[in-house]
Amino acid sequence: MAMLRDVLVALAVASAGEMLAVHLVAPQYQLAGNFSRSILRLFLLNVSLYSVWKMFIYPFFFSPLRELPGPKGGSLLYGHGPLQFSKPPGSAPLRWVKEIPSGGIIRYRSFFNIERLIPTSPEALKAVLSDRTYDFEKPAPVRNFLVRLLGAGLILVEGNEHKFQRKHLLPAFQIQQIRDLYPVFWEKARGLVEGIEEELVEGGPDTIVEFGKWATRVTLDIIGVAGFGRDFKALKNPDDELVRTYNTLLEPTTEKTIFFAMNIVFPMWLMKRIPWKVNDQMRDITTVLKRFALDLVRERQRDIGAKRGMEEKDILTLLVKSNDFKVTELAEQVLTFLAAGHETTSSAMTWVMYLMATHPETQKRLREEIRANLPSISVAPGPTPADIEKLPYLNAVCNETLRLYPTVPVTTREAVKPTQLPVKTDDGTIMHAIPKGTPILLVPWAINRSPHTWGQDAEKFVPDRWMGEGNGNTGGQSSNYSQITFLHGARSCIGQGFAKAEFKCLVAAMVGRFEVEMADSSENVYPAGVVTTKPANGMRLRMKPLRGW
């Protein structure tokens, strides 16, 4: 939007200059009417000519990107734009990755023939995510919309502000800090198991469990205690205001998808004025969340000021004691961690239970490993971090789930200055010029499922690819950029260690205690959502408690 504004201003100035030149040099050619009206007519003419140039001439005949491989065909006006909204998100880029021979970058035309690039090779991804990471930023419309919901926390800030925040947040996510939180993860996993068992007792053996809601509740509880030193008690109280607020925010609906897309295309000031129920929902949601975040920060500051809670190891306490952030900045970090800190694992938990229900042999094998090596979820004390981390098949199942179902299947960047990306050619690798303003699509859904990297079974659930010496963290791949669920480099997810540890504890507890199957084995389960992905129609499961552990 900023670039469009700059173009319109430049055209307006040019129109005024052109009209002035005509008036001074060749007044006989001056348009009829007063001077201001003549400038307006000339401005509209310039806009029309620029639009024709930008949409129908530049991308086909002059763009330095025009020779890059991409999908054929597409509309003359809107290119392949509609495919951006394919379901599941990222499915069209995955098809292109499979079918289009490329040197590591795919080009396609979006609406109005705007050129977009998809890095597909490890080398190109490394350049975007690590080597030249600050050459690429989240586009302003996307960033502004998400800041409205999440605040200007680590995920959404750019440049020097991002460098500052990441540097001062990293100490809270060191390995030892995360290991100190394992008892919290296991205790809440126990609460999850007990809550589902109570639901089964009350509803009888034919009870269908909507697991997605349980996943949201347990991960909210965990981020509450481990992140902020506050037990939300969401497992016990599903009607809590915070729980209801997040369920409303994250419910995957077509209306929310349209709302998000329109906020990207149209100015926010205009969108806020549209009499639309989603606008009212978002306003109520942001009010509740921002009030909650500020109250939480101020409460923790009072506790520390009064020498209470000094021994707490939650993330917020560490940040308050560091004195690196103002109150409002801490509140924005709270909103960021609240969203990212629970949604990643909530989504992953929903999908892993789906995979367990549809792969009973895998479920049985994992349960045997868990029961043979971990104490029962019903007894204390729980396992040590080492007990959890040494289970190879648990690690494999969790990593394979995160590969197949990345929480954010598609994200976007924009080149903020002229830069370069590597492209493989018959003559070797060259650095291809990337103009300022070029949109870049990062597609974990496509990269993580690419048959060029992961083989012909890339879209199948195969935990064994993570088994064996040296494969536990790589899946047998030589490059970290073969899998970008958490991205990499300076913009990688700072809390991925937290999320993976929490995920393993919850999976161990659930699979160790329950036998799981789909409520409807013929149901078509597919991902949906605005920013993150969950099953479009929820995750309806039948669960049978198994004794002996």
Side-chain angles (χ1 to χ4, degrees):
M1 298 304 289
M3 183 173 290
L4 176 60
R5 182 186 64 239
D6 293 343
V7 168
L8 293 176
V9 169
L11 290 175
V13 171
S15 300
E18 290 164 358
M19 196 63 233
L20 181 61
V22 170
H23 178 73
L24 295 175
V25 177
Q28 67 272 26
Y29 295 113
Q30 186 169 322
L31 297 175
N34 62 42
F35 194 77
S36 298
R37 187 171 297 176
S38 297
I39 291 178
L40 177 59
R41 290 173 179 171
L42 200 55
F43 172 71
L44 293 176
L45 175 63
N46 283 334
V47 168
S48 299
L49 292 173
Y50 178 80
S51 298
V52 170
W53 159 261
K54 193 67 176 175
M55 286 191 287
F56 303 116
I57 299 176
Y58 176 79
F60 295 98
F61 302 105
F62 292 94
S63 169
L65 307 175
R66 68 187 185 279
E67 301 298 333
L68 290 172
K72 304 298 182 183
S75 165
L76 184 61
L77 181 60
Y78 49 80
H80 295 90
L83 293 178
Q84 294 174 199
F85 303 103
S86 58
K87 301 296 181 184
S91 57
L94 174 58
R95 187 169 68 252
W96 297 337
V97 166
K98 291 178 181 177
E99 298 174 356
I100 300 173
S102 74
I105 298 179
I106 290 175
R107 166 195 178 262
Y108 75 97
R109 292 178 293 112
S110 184
F111 294 101
F112 309 116
N113 291 321
I114 294 174
E115 298 172 288
R116 293 176 180 267
L117 302 181
I118 303 175
T120 60
S121 69
E123 294 80 10
L125 288 164
K126 182 174 181 288
V128 173
L129 293 172
S130 297
D131 298 341
R132 300 169 182 261
T133 185
Y134 290 107
D135 288 0
F136 303 93
E137 296 182 356
K138 290 184 176 67
V142 175
R143 195 165 65 243
N144 293 338
F145 174 72
L146 293 177
V147 165
R148 178 183 170 190
L149 298 177
L150 304 178
L154 180 66
I155 293 176
L156 298 174
V157 294
E158 299 289 351
N160 289 333
E161 180 61 25
H162 177 266
K163 293 176 184 177
F164 172 85
Q165 290 194 16
R166 189 174 180 90
K167 175 182 176 182
H168 290 88
L169 290 169
L170 270 174
F173 292 92
Q174 298 301 317
I175 293 176
Q176 189 53 52
Q177 298 293 340
I178 293 170
R179 288 188 170 184
D180 288 341
L181 295 173
Y182 269 77
V184 174
F185 301 153
W186 194 251
E187 181 62 29
K188 286 301 179 181
R190 180 182 296 120
L192 172 64
V193 167
E194 291 172 350
I196 293 176
E197 286 182 331
E198 289 175 9
E199 181 178 335
L200 294 175
V201 169
E202 293 173 3
D206 294 327
T207 299
I208 295 175
V209 176
E210 171 41 64
F211 185 73
K213 293 182 178 179
W214 280 106
T216 296
R217 288 160 64 183
V218 70
T219 51
L220 271 175
D221 267 1
I222 287 175
I223 195 61
V225 177
F228 316 125
R230 167 83 70 85
D231 192 342
F232 299 148
K233 301 188 187 305
L235 284 168
K236 297 291 185 181
N237 181 19
D239 295 325
D240 177 78
E241 183 181 33
L242 184 65
V243 178
R244 284 188 285 104
T245 298
Y246 259 98
N247 282 336
T248 302
L249 175 64
L250 299 171
E251 181 185 12
T253 65
T254 301
E255 189 176 25
K256 285 198 183 77
T257 302
I258 295 171
F259 178 75
F260 175 76
M262 290 183 67
N263 270 273
I264 303 308
V265 174
F266 298 105
M268 190 176 295
W269 63 264
L270 176 62
M271 289 300 302
K272 286 182 177 180
R273 285 166 174 75
I274 296 177
W276 192 355
K277 186 178 78 170
V278 181
N279 255 330
D280 296 333
Q281 279 185 336
M282 291 300 159
R283 186 164 47 249
D284 293 342
I285 285 170
T286 54
T287 298
V288 170
L289 293 180
K290 288 178 181 177
R291 184 183 68 239
F292 163 81
L294 280 169
D295 289 347
L296 195 60
V297 170
R298 287 168 178 153
E299 176 185 301
R300 187 45 44 92
Q301 285 183 321
R302 287 194 298 269
D303 288 345
I304 292 175
K307 305 299 182 183
R308 297 191 303 268
M310 293 295 289
E311 74 287 350
E312 297 294 335
K313 297 178 180 179
D314 61 271
I315 295 168
L316 180 57
T317 295
L318 295 173
L319 296 182
V320 171
K321 291 196 293 188
S322 74
N323 290 316
D324 291 323
F325 298 92
K326 301 174 184 176
V327 171
T328 53
E329 292 171 339
L330 285 170
E332 288 175 332
Q333 300 303 337
V334 166
L335 290 175
T336 298
F337 294 144
L338 191 60
H342 97 275
E343 182 60 15
T344 298
T345 312
S346 174
S347 171
M349 276 302 298
T350 306
W351 288 116
V352 77
M353 296 309 289
Y354 164 70
L355 291 168
M356 293 298 95
T358 53
H359 295 79
E361 289 304 313
T362 300
Q363 181 186 160
K364 180 182 178 183
R365 179 179 168 185
L366 177 57
R367 183 178 300 112
E368 290 172 351
E369 180 185 76
I370 291 165
R371 290 190 164 203
N373 292 279
L374 299 182
S376 168
I377 190 65
S378 301
V379 302
T384 65
D387 292 334
I388 298 285
E389 292 166 2
K390 73 181 182 182
L391 301 186
Y393 203 59
L394 174 62
N395 177 74
V397 166
C398 291
N399 280 336
E400 184 72 345
T401 301
L402 291 168
R403 180 186 73 85
L404 282 175
Y405 293 97
T407 302
V408 180
V410 180
T411 187
T412 184
R413 298 287 188 271
E414 183 178 278
V416 294
K417 64 180 183 180
T419 186
Q420 296 178 319
L421 291 178
V423 176
K424 292 179 181 177
T425 69
D426 293 339
D427 298 322
T429 299
I430 64 170
M431 296 303 292
H432 199 290
I434 307 297
K436 177 182 177 180
T438 302
I440 305 289
L441 222 61
L442 297 171
V443 193
W445 186 272
I447 301 304
N448 294 5
R449 292 169 174 248
S450 169
H452 305 302
T453 302
W454 295 95
Q456 294 308 306
D457 61 354
E459 294 190 75
K460 294 182 179 180
F461 180 61
V462 185
D464 277 315
R465 72 175 89 241
W466 301 88
M467 299 291 285
E469 186 176 354
N471 293 342
N473 293 317
T474 67
Q477 302 304 311
S478 59
S479 171
N480 290 338
Y481 296 86
S482 300
Q483 202 249 72
I484 58 170
T485 295
F486 293 102
L487 302 183
H488 293 288
R491 298 309 305 242
S492 64
C493 174
I494 196 172
Q496 62 178 292
F498 180 104
K500 288 180 177 180
E502 172 190 16
F503 188 32
K504 288 180 182 180
C505 289
L506 292 173
V507 172
M510 287 298 301
V511 176
R513 176 54 59 91
F514 296 105
E515 183 178 78
V516 185
E517 61 183 36
M518 296 296 296
D520 178 2
S521 59
S522 64
E523 181 181 358
N524 178 27
V525 178
Y526 61 93
V530 177
V531 179
T532 61
T533 54
K534 284 188 175 181
N537 300 309
M539 184 52 59
R540 301 166 66 253
L541 301 172
R542 295 188 187 278
M543 294 186 174
K544 177 183 176 182
L546 299 177
R547 302 306 168 189
W549 182 71

